[in-house]
Amino acid sequence: MTDYEGFITNIKRKTNIDLALYKEAQMKRRLTSLYEKRGFKNFNDFYKGMERDQQLLSEFLDRMTINVSEFYRNGKRWEVLQNKIFPRLLKENRKLKIWSAACSTGEEPYTIAMVLSNYLPLSQISILATDLDENAIAKAKTGIYPERSLAEVPTAIKEKYFVKNGMFYQVKDEIKRTVTFRKHNLLKDPYEQNYDLIVCRNVMIYFTEEAKDQIYLNFSKALRPGGVLFVGSTEQIFNPSKYSFDIEDTFFYSKA
Ligand SMILES: C[S@@+](CC[C@H](N)C(=O)[O-])C[C@H]1O[C@@H](n2cnc3c(N)ncnc32)[C@H](O)[C@@H]1O
């Protein structure tokens, strides 16, 4: 067993996270730079360090999850969601079941609520937002962001749904109330069914082909016929028909 394979086994036992399902070269590079910075020589020593030091374990989790996000990330895609996808979905269903999977610190589910508020009163909007990382979820629940996270937010939306507080912006409670946050591991936990929309962006890039394949199958099962999967802007699905997906627009797949 190599040093990294032993590490994978230990981490799985300790945290239930299976690093074998994440692209190896990329993950190894990220973790090696962390353990070298902390003065360890190999993965085995790094793991022993984590057994003694909770803070190191938390640093490891932080490094492996990569929480970068922003509101209206890749703005043009959100225009497609607003002008094409939502009108079609709302014609079919007045109450939409929506899931923001791997939501990180909350920018994405809050953006969904802001976009959907063009069509529905906020009291009728309810979004499930999940992530593997509990620290990210805790931040998401506070709803407080630095200005750079809002770079792509249209001015009218910024004025309507954020309150500026010193150097930070606070998402208004009326938006926060539309989102329920929960911990969920895409590689292990069960998926709810009958979704109209699943937004899962900028996480598939970290997974192995085998893991991606399983997740797309799970998403397909979790969507109602006609329901939509919205993926990240580098995450086109290579063979959508394998998962009963039709291309509805670039980065939007509807279940056949
Ligand atoms: C780069 S962020 C993407 C945030 C947001 N979706 C966006 O596009 O801006 C990736 C997120 O995936 C989460 N993640 C990584 N592995 C996961 C897994 N197995 N299950 C659920 N979430 C996971 C990380 O914790 C991180 O918050």
Side-chain angles (χ1 to χ4, degrees):
M1 201 191 282
T2 66
D3 182 35
Y4 186 59
E5 283 164 0
F7 183 74
I8 290 181
T9 309
N10 285 328
I11 288 295
K12 194 166 176 188
R13 203 176 331 110
K14 192 172 185 68
T15 66
N16 239 325
I17 294 171
D18 190 356
L19 290 176
L21 297 172
Y22 292 77
K23 284 183 192 150
E24 179 170 328
Q26 208 183 52
M27 184 61 81
K28 260 167 110 169
R29 211 177 317 119
R30 273 210 307 279
L31 296 178
T32 304
S33 80
L34 171 63
Y35 79 57
E36 285 178 349
K37 210 163 81 191
R38 293 284 166 268
F40 298 98
K41 296 218 156 23
N42 54 44
F43 278 105
N44 191 37
D45 286 351
F46 181 35
Y47 182 74
K48 284 190 197 143
M50 276 191 245
E51 293 249 80
R52 295 187 299 266
D53 179 357
Q54 189 66 28
Q55 173 61 28
L56 193 60
L57 175 64
S58 142
E59 264 186 83
F60 153 75
L61 287 171
D62 224 35
R63 181 61 65 97
M64 74 136 299
T65 50
I66 313 181
N67 298 129
V68 240
S69 192
E70 58 182 293
F71 291 90
Y72 289 80
R73 190 173 187 175
N74 314 113
K76 288 272 170 248
R77 301 291 99 211
W78 292 93
E79 285 174 21
V80 175
L81 181 71
Q82 175 165 329
N83 298 327
K84 179 171 175 183
I85 307 294
F86 271 144
R88 203 256 300 152
L89 290 175
L90 285 164
K91 234 186 263 165
E92 294 166 15
N93 241 342
R94 270 324 272 177
K95 175 105 181 77
L96 300 182
K97 184 168 174 178
I98 301 175
W99 178 20
S100 165
C103 67
S104 189
T105 37
E107 294 87 334
E108 180 178 279
Y110 292 139
T111 301
I112 301 171
M114 290 170 195
V115 171
L116 188 52
S117 75
N118 286 292
Y119 299 103
L120 291 177
L122 291 174
S123 60
Q124 284 177 36
I125 298 176
S126 148
I127 297 160
L128 172 68
T130 63
D131 199 279
L132 175 71
D133 181 353
E134 285 169 288
N135 289 331
I137 293 178
K139 276 195 203 150
K141 285 181 179 168
T142 68
I144 297 170
Y145 299 92
E147 183 151 24
R148 65 170 182 280
S149 309
L150 280 72
E152 295 221 45
V153 178
T155 312
I157 293 285
K158 208 192 232 181
E159 281 164 7
K160 194 165 175 193
Y161 291 132
F162 290 88
V163 178
K164 189 159 194 249
N165 196 344
M167 312 248 297
F168 293 89
Y169 284 81
Q170 165 89 55
V171 175
K172 284 196 181 164
D173 282 348
E174 57 194 294
I175 289 289
K176 283 171 73 181
R177 274 195 290 270
T178 66
V179 182
T180 306
F181 290 97
R182 195 184 299 157
K183 184 177 174 181
H184 180 276
N185 183 347
L186 284 165
L187 298 166
K188 185 172 113 344
D189 294 327
Y191 291 32
E192 279 180 33
Q193 307 290 301
N194 222 13
Y195 281 103
D196 296 278
L197 175 68
I198 298 175
V199 180
C200 184
R201 309 181 74 220
N202 305 303
V203 65
M204 298 302 261
I205 35 168
Y206 303 116
F207 296 136
T208 63
E209 289 307 312
E210 173 204 359
K212 272 194 238 182
D213 188 56
Q214 188 56 53
I215 293 175
Y216 288 138
L217 281 173
N218 291 344
F219 281 151
S220 178
K221 271 191 233 152
L223 286 166
R224 66 159 175 89
V228 169
L229 173 65
F230 176 15
V231 302
S233 288
T234 56
E235 298 178 315
Q236 250 138 339
I237 302 178
F238 177 60
N239 186 6
S241 59
K242 180 174 178 196
Y243 312 102
S244 312
F245 286 139
D246 294 328
I247 300 172
E248 184 157 359
D249 205 305
T250 325
F251 310 113
F252 292 90
Y253 298 90
S254 57
K255 185 176 169 181

